Amino acid sequence: MSKPDKREEIVRSALELIAEHGFHGAPMAMISKHAKVAAGTIYCYFESKDLLINELYKDLEKRMYPFILDGYLPDRPIRERFIHLQTALLRYFINNPLDFRFLEQYHNSPYGVAHRRDKILGNKNGCDVFRDLFEEGIERKLLKELPLSILFGLAFGPVLSIVRDHILGFVILDETLITPVIEACWDAIKR
Amino acid sequence: MSKPDKREEIVRSALELIAEHGFHGAPMAMISKHAKVAAGTIYCYFESKDLLINELYKDLEKRMYPFILDGYLPDRPIRERFIHLQTALLRYFINNPLDFRFLEQYHNSPYGVAHRRDKILGNKNGCDVFRDLFEEGIERKLLKELPLSILFGLAFGPVLSIVRDHILGFVILDETLITPVIEACWDAIKR
Amino acid sequence: MSKPDKREEIVRSALELIAEHGFHGAPMAMISKHAKVAAGTIYCYFESKDLLINELYKDLEKRMYPFILDGYLPDRPIRERFIHLQTALLRYFINNPLDFRFLEQYHNSPYGVAHRRDKILGNKNGCDVFRDLFEEGIERKLLKELPLSILFGLAFGPVLSIVRDHILGFVILDETLITPVIEACWDAIKR
Amino acid sequence: MSKPDKREEIVRSALELIAEHGFHGAPMAMISKHAKVAAGTIYCYFESKDLLINELYKDLEKRMYPFILDGYLPDRPIRERFIHLQTALLRYFINNPLDFRFLEQYHNSPYGVAHRRDKILGNKNGCDVFRDLFEEGIERKLLKELPLSILFGLAFGPVLSIVRDHILGFVILDETLITPVIEACWDAIKR
DNA sequence: GATGAATGAGCGTTCATTCAT
DNA sequence: CATGAATGAACGCTCATTCAT
């Protein structure tokens, strides 16, 4: 097995097991076993479990943002752009349930809170396309005049809840359901 | 200290510590110390940590539902009833951040998933007031014709996201913000 | 086995194994096995290995100082007092080789250096009887006019070397040898 | 980098890091990194860490003895020869604190004990100049009639203690102090 | 010879749980 | 019932050593 293969296998195993069992339900020994490497090998690539998890998160962002932004046209109307982004997000999560479950674990942990705090304090990253969209929408009186955090909650809260239920099998989110869901989110934020 | 007092103290301590530090950040020893009982005493009341946590959840429901249903009038229009329930829920969470944090931990864990599965499979409980409301709303063509799970997501997803941000200090959810938020949720589900 | 017995057994085992194999040659698992307790039991009595070691050292001092000071008469001539103390020290080490070996390990480690630094900075403890003796000796022109550290080295250096050789079996330090050795140390410091 | 250079670099790095951090504070990976060679390269020159350490000790002796014996005149009086040797030893340690610290680590470890045992059992080496000196001194009734081990302890014990304190900064061993210290050692052994 | 990724036994420590008192 | 000392499996992590390149 070549070098990058091992790292790749560790990352894949970690993502899968953490998505399935949570951070403390996925010990390093389980990850290494699943990846078919020795316990110490993980530490050739990641200094600690914490750093492995943060790396996993960064990798995930790098996969997710391009997917969401693919075909995004900043000159189209706000509503259309919103629907494009949300639909892409929803599809990404449906097609990558492991990524979604990991993201949930991450946000619901000290890692995620710290990360979110940094983001709030103004650091730039891929999420800004939503921020820009919302700010523009407020300015043009197309969206409700509410704090950005609230608009984020109104737009993403439902997506997270619904995708969660979909992945757990409590609802089947087929093609006929995606558009109504996204439009309902639009209804929540539009003026 | 009388018998029920000890139990009560354990429950209070467990809720507080788990809300603050998460399940695996709140060892039994820490809970027993905080409750001023011996380590073994917890096992006089709860067979295991898992069962303690499930008990905590049930206690929480027992506190929460009466609060939400207080003043609820089943004969008022759907919109008004929805706004009553959601507002009560939001206020409950804001006034009881420990309960909210615990609930988040619970839902984001194997406990919560199992619990939710049971609920979906049709068991009756206090949450049914929402179910009834939504079913009636769909029937009367006042709400979007979507699966119940989806409507739940559209209605509660934003509340969870926004309360979370409020408790973490990322937004201040004062009185002037509560009504617009709830009305935005209504916009999401109304036809 | 009663409570203090277990603690005592742990202390004894730790002292013995560290004396014999050094700090990193005596893992906690080995100590617990030797003491016939579970691995976790040590942590009921000592927060960490470091604190166990420091506790061992303090215990040792508590045993050693009374032994050395037993029969010590502060009004006798300096030479006589010096010989009393040194002889007692030598005898203590010969009779308690485990204590001696542990002390060596301790001094030859970050623990010991930190401890020594504290002592140099003037803290009071059982060792001060030597300090007082030397200071008085210098003042009365009975001892060489050298820094205290140097006098300590001249007096104790040989004792440490010789006891070490005795315990390792390189020399047999019988009764006929003790007095000449102590007197030689006196020769080194006397004016 | 040529072959012997690599070996030299490994030896230098190992000595420095072990002197500074102790045997178990200087992992092979740290040594190899400091020496700018690969981890496996050390094993081209030394079979194991233990053998590397023993080699280090031998190298050290090879550097130390010539320095001590430089200018040594076997025909001069015993006292003069003793003072020459001890002064040279003291100066060597002061000028090469890394060597001294390593030597301490070495002696205070299973390596050192085994080594000393070999020496006592009569093997010849550079240390014999002291042995010869002491034996001659005893024979000529200039030194106390004590076992060689004891005389060694009386002569070297203080040097080790005092150099240790000097290196740790507990005393400053300047030129004015060297002669009195050595003469005090002479007082300890002379008849 | 030289490399450095890979190994895995072993480390110090934690903690849900038990049980003699 | 209540206690809390005791347990021991499991954890995250280290590091001397190996071996395919």
Side-chain angles (χ1 to χ4, degrees):
Chain A
M1 199 191 286
S2 75
K3 197 175 63 173
D5 276 357
K6 272 206 198 317
R7 197 197 134 102
E8 191 50 41
E9 206 50 56
I10 290 164
V11 165
R12 203 198 317 284
S13 298
L15 186 74
E16 186 176 327
L17 293 169
I18 290 171
E20 196 169 349
H21 304 114
F23 291 129
H24 64 280
M28 294 300 261
M30 187 191 279
I31 293 169
S32 66
K33 203 172 181 179
H34 190 277
K36 281 171 182 145
V37 300
T41 305
I42 300 180
Y43 294 88
C44 296
Y45 298 101
F46 306 96
E47 277 191 24
S48 69
K49 192 176 184 180
D50 280 16
L51 286 173
L52 164 61
I53 286 166
N54 279 311
E55 206 68 26
L56 247 31
Y57 178 79
K58 281 182 207 153
D59 279 16
L60 199 158
E61 277 191 331
K62 270 186 212 136
R63 288 195 302 275
M64 205 168 83
Y65 290 140
F67 181 93
I68 289 167
L69 294 176
D70 182 49
Y72 180 72
L73 300 172
D75 296 330
R76 306 295 299 167
I78 297 233
R79 184 178 186 279
E80 189 182 324
R81 276 145 66 196
F82 176 78
I83 285 174
H84 170 99
L85 290 173
Q86 285 279 77
T87 307
L89 192 65
L90 204 58
R91 278 192 212 284
Y92 184 85
F93 285 151
I94 290 171
N95 296 334
N96 301 277
L98 253 34
D99 281 17
F100 178 77
R101 299 277 284 147
F102 174 83
L103 221 53
E104 270 202 309
Q105 304 279 350
Y106 187 83
H107 280 127
N108 205 291
S109 76
Y111 308 114
V113 173
H115 182 263
R116 187 130 165 60
R117 199 178 308 272
D118 290 350
K119 207 185 274 184
I120 293 286
L121 295 177
N123 308 11
K124 285 277 160 197
N125 67 29
C127 203
D128 290 331
V129 64
F130 275 106
R131 174 192 293 249
D132 294 343
L133 183 66
F134 287 179
E135 281 175 343
E136 188 186 330
I138 293 168
E139 207 171 318
R140 293 201 190 174
K141 312 286 188 193
L142 292 170
L143 297 184
K144 288 171 177 139
E145 202 165 349
L146 293 167
L148 270 185
S149 278
I150 301 283
L151 289 183
F152 272 102
L154 291 169
F156 298 138
V159 170
L160 299 181
S161 285
I162 290 166
V163 169
R164 189 163 199 270
D165 279 2
H166 170 80
I167 287 173
L168 294 174
F170 298 146
V171 67
I172 295 159
L173 201 59
D174 59 18
E175 281 302 316
T176 68
L177 234 28
I178 290 180
T179 301
V181 163
I182 302 303
E183 284 178 344
C185 290
W186 173 255
D187 292 342
I189 62 169
K190 81 150 195 278
R191 194 176 272 224
Chain B
M1 200 191 290
S2 75
K3 207 170 54 177
D5 274 0
K6 271 196 204 305
R7 197 196 131 102
E8 187 50 39
E9 208 47 61
I10 290 164
V11 163
R12 202 200 317 283
S13 298
L15 183 75
E16 185 176 328
L17 294 169
I18 290 171
E20 199 170 347
H21 305 114
F23 291 130
H24 62 280
M28 294 299 259
M30 189 192 278
I31 293 170
S32 67
K33 200 172 181 180
H34 191 277
K36 282 167 183 149
V37 300
T41 305
I42 298 180
Y43 291 86
C44 297
Y45 297 100
F46 307 95
E47 275 191 24
S48 70
K49 193 176 185 181
D50 280 15
L51 286 172
L52 165 61
I53 285 166
N54 279 310
E55 209 68 26
L56 247 32
Y57 179 78
K58 282 181 206 154
D59 280 17
L60 198 158
E61 277 190 331
K62 270 185 214 138
R63 286 195 305 275
M64 205 168 84
Y65 290 140
F67 181 93
I68 289 167
L69 294 175
D70 182 50
Y72 181 71
L73 300 171
D75 296 330
R76 306 294 299 166
I78 298 239
R79 184 177 185 280
E80 190 183 323
R81 277 145 66 196
F82 176 79
I83 284 172
H84 170 99
L85 291 173
Q86 285 279 77
T87 307
L89 192 65
L90 203 58
R91 278 193 212 284
Y92 185 83
F93 286 151
I94 290 172
N95 294 335
N96 301 277
L98 254 35
D99 282 17
F100 178 79
R101 299 275 284 147
F102 175 83
L103 220 54
E104 269 203 310
Q105 305 276 351
Y106 187 82
H107 279 127
N108 205 292
S109 76
Y111 308 115
V113 173
H115 180 264
R116 189 131 163 62
R117 197 177 314 270
D118 291 349
K119 206 185 276 184
I120 292 287
L121 295 177
N123 308 11
K124 287 276 160 198
N125 67 28
C127 200
D128 291 331
V129 64
F130 275 106
R131 175 193 295 246
D132 295 343
L133 183 68
F134 287 178
E135 282 175 345
E136 189 187 329
I138 293 168
E139 207 171 317
R140 293 202 190 172
K141 311 285 188 195
L142 293 170
L143 298 185
K144 288 171 177 141
E145 202 166 350
L146 292 167
L148 271 186
S149 277
I150 301 283
L151 288 183
F152 272 102
L154 290 170
F156 298 139
V159 171
L160 299 182
S161 286
I162 290 166
V163 170
R164 187 165 204 269
D165 279 2
H166 170 78
I167 288 174
L168 293 175
F170 296 146
V171 69
I172 295 160
L173 200 58
D174 59 20
E175 282 301 317
T176 68
L177 235 27
I178 291 180
T179 302
V181 163
I182 303 303
E183 284 178 342
C185 292
W186 172 255
D187 293 342
I189 61 169
K190 81 149 196 280
R191 194 177 272 221
Chain C
M1 197 190 291
S2 74
K3 197 175 65 175
D5 276 358
K6 271 205 199 319
R7 196 197 135 102
E8 193 47 44
E9 206 49 58
I10 290 164
V11 164
R12 203 199 317 285
S13 298
L15 186 74
E16 186 177 327
L17 294 169
I18 289 171
E20 196 170 347
H21 304 115
F23 292 129
H24 63 280
M28 295 299 260
M30 188 190 278
I31 293 169
S32 66
K33 203 172 179 177
H34 189 276
K36 283 173 180 141
V37 299
T41 304
I42 299 179
Y43 293 89
C44 295
Y45 298 100
F46 306 96
E47 278 189 24
S48 68
K49 192 176 186 181
D50 279 16
L51 286 173
L52 164 62
I53 286 166
N54 279 311
E55 206 69 25
L56 248 30
Y57 179 79
K58 282 182 207 154
D59 279 15
L60 198 157
E61 277 191 332
K62 269 184 213 139
R63 289 194 303 275
M64 204 169 84
Y65 289 140
F67 181 94
I68 290 167
L69 294 176
D70 182 50
Y72 180 72
L73 299 172
D75 297 330
R76 306 293 299 165
I78 297 237
R79 183 178 185 280
E80 190 183 323
R81 277 146 65 196
F82 176 78
I83 284 173
H84 170 98
L85 290 173
Q86 286 278 78
T87 307
L89 193 65
L90 204 57
R91 279 194 211 283
Y92 184 85
F93 286 151
I94 289 170
N95 295 334
N96 302 277
L98 254 32
D99 281 18
F100 178 78
R101 299 276 283 146
F102 174 83
L103 221 53
E104 270 202 308
Q105 303 281 350
Y106 187 83
H107 280 128
N108 204 292
S109 75
Y111 308 114
V113 172
H115 181 263
R116 188 131 163 60
R117 199 178 309 272
D118 290 350
K119 208 184 274 183
I120 293 285
L121 296 176
N123 308 10
K124 285 275 160 200
N125 68 29
C127 202
D128 290 331
V129 66
F130 274 106
R131 175 193 295 249
D132 294 343
L133 183 67
F134 286 180
E135 281 175 344
E136 189 186 330
I138 293 168
E139 207 171 320
R140 293 202 191 173
K141 312 284 188 198
L142 293 169
L143 297 184
K144 288 172 176 136
E145 201 166 350
L146 293 167
L148 270 185
S149 276
I150 301 284
L151 288 183
F152 272 101
L154 290 169
F156 298 138
V159 171
L160 300 182
S161 286
I162 289 166
V163 170
R164 188 163 201 271
D165 279 2
H166 170 80
I167 288 173
L168 294 175
F170 298 147
V171 68
I172 295 160
L173 201 58
D174 60 19
E175 282 300 317
T176 68
L177 233 29
I178 290 179
T179 302
V181 163
I182 302 303
E183 285 178 342
C185 291
W186 173 255
D187 292 342
I189 62 168
K190 81 149 197 280
R191 195 176 271 223
Chain D
M1 200 191 289
S2 74
K3 209 169 50 174
D5 275 357
K6 272 196 204 303
R7 198 196 130 100
E8 188 49 41
E9 207 49 58
I10 290 164
V11 164
R12 200 200 318 283
S13 298
L15 183 76
E16 185 176 328
L17 294 169
I18 289 171
E20 198 169 348
H21 306 113
F23 290 132
H24 62 281
M28 294 298 260
M30 189 192 278
I31 294 169
S32 67
K33 199 171 180 180
H34 190 277
K36 283 171 182 147
V37 300
T41 305
I42 299 179
Y43 292 86
C44 297
Y45 297 100
F46 308 95
E47 274 189 27
S48 69
K49 193 176 184 180
D50 280 14
L51 286 172
L52 164 62
I53 285 165
N54 279 310
E55 208 66 27
L56 246 32
Y57 179 78
K58 283 181 205 154
D59 279 18
L60 197 159
E61 278 191 331
K62 268 184 217 141
R63 286 195 304 275
M64 206 169 81
Y65 289 139
F67 180 93
I68 290 167
L69 295 175
D70 182 48
Y72 181 72
L73 300 171
D75 298 329
R76 306 294 299 168
I78 298 239
R79 184 177 185 279
E80 191 183 323
R81 276 146 65 197
F82 175 80
I83 285 172
H84 171 99
L85 289 174
Q86 286 278 76
T87 307
L89 191 64
L90 204 58
R91 280 194 211 282
Y92 184 84
F93 286 151
I94 290 171
N95 295 334
N96 302 277
L98 254 35
D99 281 18
F100 178 78
R101 300 274 285 147
F102 174 83
L103 220 54
E104 269 203 310
Q105 305 276 352
Y106 187 82
H107 279 128
N108 203 293
S109 76
Y111 308 115
V113 173
H115 179 263
R116 189 130 164 60
R117 196 176 314 270
D118 291 350
K119 205 184 276 183
I120 293 287
L121 295 176
N123 307 11
K124 286 277 163 198
N125 65 29
C127 200
D128 289 332
V129 65
F130 275 105
R131 174 193 297 248
D132 294 344
L133 183 67
F134 286 178
E135 282 176 341
E136 188 186 332
I138 293 167
E139 206 170 317
R140 293 201 189 173
K141 312 284 189 196
L142 292 169
L143 296 185
K144 288 171 177 140
E145 203 166 348
L146 293 166
L148 271 185
S149 276
I150 301 282
L151 288 183
F152 273 102
L154 291 169
F156 299 138
V159 171
L160 298 182
S161 286
I162 290 165
V163 170
R164 188 167 202 268
D165 279 2
H166 170 78
I167 288 174
L168 292 175
F170 297 146
V171 69
I172 295 160
L173 201 58
D174 59 20
E175 281 302 315
T176 68
L177 234 28
I178 290 180
T179 302
V181 163
I182 302 302
E183 284 178 342
C185 291
W186 173 254
D187 292 342
I189 62 169
K190 80 148 194 282
R191 193 176 274 222

